[in-house]
Structures are given as structure tokens and as C-alpha cells.
Amino acid sequence: MADRQARNGMDVQTLFFRQFLQHPMQVASAVPSSRFLMRRIVAAAAGEQAGLMVELGPGTGGTTRALLEALPAHGRLLAIEVNPDLHRAVSSIADERLIAHRGSACDLPAIMARYGFERADAVVSGIPFSTMDRALGERIAAAVADALAPDGRFVAYQASARVAELCQPHLGVPRVDTELLNFPPMRVFRWERTGG
Ligand SMILES: C[S@@+](CC[C@H](N)C(=O)[O-])C[C@H]1O[C@@H](n2cnc3c(N)ncnc32)[C@H](O)[C@@H]1O
């Protein structure tokens, strides 16, 4: 039930679609990620080994719940959502490992510092790099690279390849998989640091 009801009894699909209609460039998708895409994201993030995971753009929290399922008991998930209504939905997830923060990914260094976190084992992002201002995208890409632990991973699920272009100067060339069982079909970009 908690998976379907976001808040005040409103179905998560309805909440997500309404926010998409009001903020199309920011939400960028009319429906939340499919379970097939979520499975692919979770596998790419390797969250079962993570002490700290950061999620950028949790939306109504479907991806957040999937990441929490993989996270170990001692792990933490810092989920950063800019939209107040969607942030409220993520905040309703009852899990002590979750910190649901309302704010923008562009403030990632300050947000991590606020909670006493230095480095993330994995950053997972659904925020739309293709529709945001280029300078903002560059800033977020640099912040994500700085936030990663020496063997950390960055996973970004996007319809567009803009994120790969923005991250290349910091993280190199990503591995890319495509999930067709999602609307729209989505690419999953993955960078893995190797102790450097
Ligand atoms: C495509 S939706 C993904 C939602 C959810 N993770 C899913 O897969 O169903 C993108 C989400 O990123 C959020 N977002 C967009 N720009 C953001 C930013 N700068 N910082 C944090 N969240 C942002 C939107 O509000 C939206 O919830």
C-alpha cells in the first residue's frame, strides 16, 4: 500500500503525473520508472556493498524503496529532491537508513557536509541533465565526481546522452545499458572508480 499511496491517499502515479504537468522540464517523465528499470538501476549501483548511497531526484520514491531494499542494515541513503510535493512523498518512507532532503543536486557538497558525510560509495541520479541549463549540469557533474569515494560508482538513468558528455571530463567514458521495458526506454550510464 505504501508503495502506491504517496500522501493524503493520492496515488503515486497521479502525484507524479501532476508534477510532470506543472514542471515538465524538471520532472522530465510522465510516469515513474518501471520495476524493470529499477532492477537495472539497483544492480548497477551495487548498493549491497554501500555505506553511503546518494540519490538525486527520487521523485515519488519508487527508486528510493528499491535502493533501500538492496542497502545493508548499516547503510545510509541520502535522497535529494527539489520538488516539495515529491519530497513530501519520499519523506513518508519509514526507514531509519533514509535521509530525505529537500534541495537541489547542485548543492550536493553542502548537503553532504550538513549530514556529516564525506564520500559516497554510490550516487544514483534520475535528474534530467538534458533539459537543465548547461552550466548547472556541468556543476552537478563536477559535484558528483567530487563526492564519490575512490572506488565509488555513479549511475544515471537518462533518455539522452547529455550526462555522458557532462561527466566525461571528470569520470571518463561510461558503460551504457538500455532498458526497453520502461516508458520511455531509458539508458543506464555507469561509471566505476577503481581506487584512483
Ligand atoms: C525522471 S524523475 C525520476 C523520479 C524517480 N526517481 C523515478 O525513477 O521514478 C526526475 C526527478 O528529479 C527531480 N529533480 C530535477 N532536478 C533536480 C535537482 N536539481 N535536484 C534534485 N532533484 C531534481 C524531479 O523533481 C524528479 O523528481
Side-chain angles (χ1 to χ4, degrees):
M1 192 67 166
D3 283 350
R4 301 212 179 109
Q5 304 285 312
R7 66 183 175 94
N8 300 336
M10 189 193 287
D11 183 84
V12 290
Q13 305 277 346
T14 307
L15 172 60
F16 198 95
F17 187 58
R18 282 193 185 179
Q19 295 307 314
F20 168 67
L21 291 179
Q22 286 173 26
H23 312 280
M25 306 296 262
Q26 200 175 71
V27 176
S29 179
V31 291
S33 294
S34 72
R35 66 179 191 279
F36 304 99
L37 176 58
M38 285 187 206
R39 215 172 284 156
R40 205 180 273 276
I41 293 166
V42 169
E48 64 284 352
Q49 295 154 23
L52 174 65
M53 287 184 81
V54 174
E55 182 180 19
L56 307 178
T60 43
T63 42
T64 313
R65 287 189 174 87
L67 292 169
L68 285 167
E69 273 176 30
L71 199 67
H74 67 270
R76 302 302 304 272
L77 175 58
L78 172 60
I80 301 170
E81 173 57 58
V82 77
N83 178 298
D85 290 299
L86 296 177
H87 168 257
R88 215 169 295 136
V90 178
S91 300
S92 73
I93 298 174
D95 191 312
E96 288 180 352
R97 298 167 300 167
L98 174 66
I99 299 169
H101 179 89
R102 180 181 162 193
S104 172
C106 67
D107 297 319
L108 180 60
I111 296 168
M112 285 181 64
R114 171 179 165 171
Y115 295 103
F117 297 132
E118 286 186 4
R119 292 282 180 271
D121 300 299
V123 177
V124 174
S125 173
I127 66 173
F129 282 90
S130 57
T131 56
M132 70 177 67
D133 175 74
R134 189 177 179 90
L136 181 64
E138 285 171 354
R139 182 170 155 191
I140 295 174
V144 167
D146 276 354
L148 286 181
D151 56 353
R153 292 173 171 222
F154 179 39
V155 176
Y157 48 103
Q158 304 277 295
S160 148
R162 166 77 72 85
V163 68
E165 188 195 320
L166 293 171
C167 288
Q168 185 150 3
H170 309 284
L171 294 168
V173 177
R175 294 186 184 192
V176 190
D177 291 317
T178 302
E179 180 53 69
L180 297 175
L181 297 176
N182 190 71
F183 180 77
M186 200 62 75
R187 284 185 265 192
V188 180
F189 298 87
R190 182 174 95 228
W191 290 263
E192 288 174 44
R193 285 210 155 142
T194 51

